[in-house]
Amino acid sequence: MRAVLALALKDLLLLRRDRAGAFFTLVFPVAFAVLFGLIFSGTTGTPTGVRVLVVDEDGSAASAAFMERLTRNESLRIEVIGDAQVGAGAVRRGQRAAMLVLPAGFGESVSSPTRLFGGGGGDEGLVRGVVDPGQRFTTGLLQGAVTAALFETVSGAMGEAEGVRRAAADGRAMVASAEPGTINLPMRLALRGVFDQLDVMASEMEAAHARGDGGDAPSGDGTGAGPGSGFGNGLGVRFEEVAVARSGPRSSFDLTIPQGNAWGLMACVIGFGMSLVTERTRGTMTRLLVAPVSSSQVLAGKAVACFATACFVQTVLILVGVAFFGVRVGSVGLLAAGFVAASFAFTGIMMTLSAVGRTEGGSEGFGRAVLLVLALFGGGGVPLAFMPEWMRQVAGVSPFKWAILAVENAVWRGASAAEAVVPLVALAGFGVAGFVLGVWLFRRSLRR
Amino acid sequence: MRGAVWWGLGRYAERVLTLRDVHKSYGSTVAVDGLSLHIEAGEVFGLLGPNGAGKSTTIGMAVGLLRPDRGSVELAGLGSPTKASVRRHLGACPQQIALYEQFSGEENLLFLGKLHGLDRATRKRRAAELLERVGLTARARDRVSAYSGGMQRRLNIAAALVHDPQLVLLDEPTAGVDPHSRHALFELVRALKSEGRTVVYTTHYMEEAQRLCDRVGVIDQGRVLALGTVDELIAAHGGQSVVTVLRDGPGGGAEEGEPERIETDDPMREIARVAAEPGAREVRLERPDLEGVFLHLTGRSLRD
Ligand SMILES: Nc1ncnc2c1ncn2[C@@H]1O[C@H](COP(=O)(O)OP(=O)(O)OP(=O)(O)O)[C@@H](O)[C@H]1O
Ligand SMILES: [Mg+2]
């Protein structure tokens, strides 16, 4: 055992010395996961936008205009449905990121300043939203989008700058004429802020108009505003969080981190497989074999080093995901089991690969080609979640699919215990097959 | 513990390593064809033969790297070196440079020491000693990839000695080494011998065999052609000495005449006779050497 550890340690040290090897094993997978995670961030399940359901319970011209404006937002994919109950269910099941409900009376609220600012909306908000609390990014995005659309709708309803200015004046008059005690001091101050803001907005609209670039309203920062301060929460969306039965990725990183794992595992296979081939071509294998170690120990040393590196790479990736990109591990036990199973499987594959290739060039070319195809088929490129069903079935031949699935199960797929076991068993199968075949080929090639 | 017993015996036992009628083929190529020899304790044994003679294959079987197709290899009192525990007692330097290039010279030695189960302090001490011995102390911390070919050769040999083996097998250790380093290597081999170790040394340079080896086995095409001390081999197979005489030209002038070659068993008497003749200008003596032995045995020259 001591010899095996000495051999493994030697390989780990050699990997650290080998810049290209270390890059592909650790840096590339992390870079892949982060880069593609960022590129697709906010897409949560679809590459084209956050899927948001909208229910129009108002049916007014204003609600139609609001929805039309929301649709123009490129980061959202709006689907209009009739039943808020059904929509909430879809969000709860994780099929959609969020739902917005435009309650009856939305149109009136939007066109009447008094209704807008003088309460009535109250805690309700003009728009009711149902979101998945896991998708904090989505919530922020929606808040911004809704506020912008509302702003435009409101200013549209109020007409041009003149209307806005009138609304501000009406509002001031309303506050002034209110019976003492009905509006307290903070509210009064807040409302004064709102009216001032409306005046500013009117001026901006006039200025914009003068410049000739249309009536684009400045989009308010819906998330930053405090309660009651104009187009903040009082006017915007009132979000309601639902507990989601997880069955969809929370963010793009839920997909790219497991994919990064696949690339890291591939680098481990190639790196250690190659190092075994190199040991033969460079003669160090001879040196090891004349030392008092057996060929099994030499092989075991490689396996231990490969296994340890595979576990390490996967752990680093998930830690990066958790620390910086909001990835949350549903089941640590399942994740650990997945890591171990995947590391085992790919160590076995490494053994076979290294025994198949007699020359560095041959082995490396062959290995890369096969592994690349398997990795792409297994969801290393196009995520499994986006693959057509038939392809997902075919992907079963790729160990990468099972490695990715094992992590996804632990992170976001609400897999039942039975479902969670499938990839682990598949990986174990790949591992055993790889070990048996690899050891047999290796022994045969070294036949003394 | 068996090792200790063996070495206890080894000092007195005649034979440290015995190969009996070993055969080894690679496909249809017969590399070693019924070779038998034994190595005696404390000697430097030379395996001399041209390229492809089967030297490396023989060494491979002697160190347990290759299993003979037929015949047996035995380390005295321990058995076949294909067993890992038996290999502990021998050190082998492969013909090819076999080092981790990304490691420094020191790291290579430390790693091999660890593999042989040496404790940390012993490893360190051995590594430092060996680096000193092969003149690499100044480059100990440099990566092997930055070494010259000759330096790599020297480290390659040091790597075979980390665990302080009593039997050392060196397969063409001088290939590609400059005269200075070669001389240092000879010194190293002599030192190993003076420490009581047994050394097996393969080469196709007959000068090396002649200078270093107590006994030499001349092999070709996988067979031992002759075995014995250098003097024995020369006496048996070297043929006669050649005395070459250069005389004044026929006119007695400055120009030389044709040199005369005289083959003889008693060159000193021949020289004395020739020197007494008038007109003899120069006398040269060529003693038979291992080259001659090989030529005599195979009808071919050692080097192509
Ligand atoms: N791995 C191998 N596969 C096939 N043939 C081999 C192999 N190794 C050696 N041979 C053949 O066996 C014969 C003996 O080779 P070997 O390496 O033992 O010779 P050698 O005396 O060490 O030669 P050199 O001085 O060139 O090192 C040669 O004909 C060689 O071609
Ligand atoms: Mg050789």
Side-chain angles (χ1 to χ4, degrees), chain B residues 252-289:
Chain B
E255 70 275 21
E256 295 175 356
E258 279 292 297
E260 184 194 353
R261 283 171 57 89
I262 304 163
E263 294 193 8
T264 172
D265 285 324
D266 193 350
M268 294 320 287
R269 209 181 66 187
E270 243 356 91
I271 290 170
R273 185 180 65 75
V274 168
E277 288 176 12
R281 223 191 239 190
E282 204 178 314
V283 179
R284 241 179 267 147
L285 169 64
E286 285 171 54
R287 280 198 169 280
D289 55 15

Side-chain angles (χ1 to χ4, degrees), chain B residues 26 29-32 49-58 95 171-172 204 219:
Chain B
Y26 299 101
T29 311
V30 179
V32 172
N51 289 142
K55 302 183 294 293
S56 295
T57 307
T58 303
Q95 181 171 0
D171 195 357
E172 300 208 24
H204 56 260
I219 74 167

Side-chain angles (χ1 to χ4, degrees), chain A residues 34-61:
Chain A
V34 170
L35 184 69
F36 283 90
L38 288 175
I39 287 176
F40 293 122
S41 69
T43 60
T44 58
T46 68
T48 44
V50 182
R51 301 179 78 172
V52 178
L53 299 170
V54 180
V55 182
D56 182 5
E57 291 178 346
D58 188 38
S60 64

Side-chain angles (χ1 to χ4, degrees), chain B residues 15 164 187 235 266:
Chain B
R15 299 175 173 190
D164 208 4
E187 288 309 311
D266 193 350

Side-chain angles (χ1 to χ4, degrees), chain A residues 104-117 120-121 126 154 235:
Chain A
F106 172 82
E108 276 179 53
S109 304
V110 167
S111 51
S112 134
T114 40
R115 294 282 292 275
L116 261 180
F117 306 114
L126 283 177
V154 168
L235 173 64

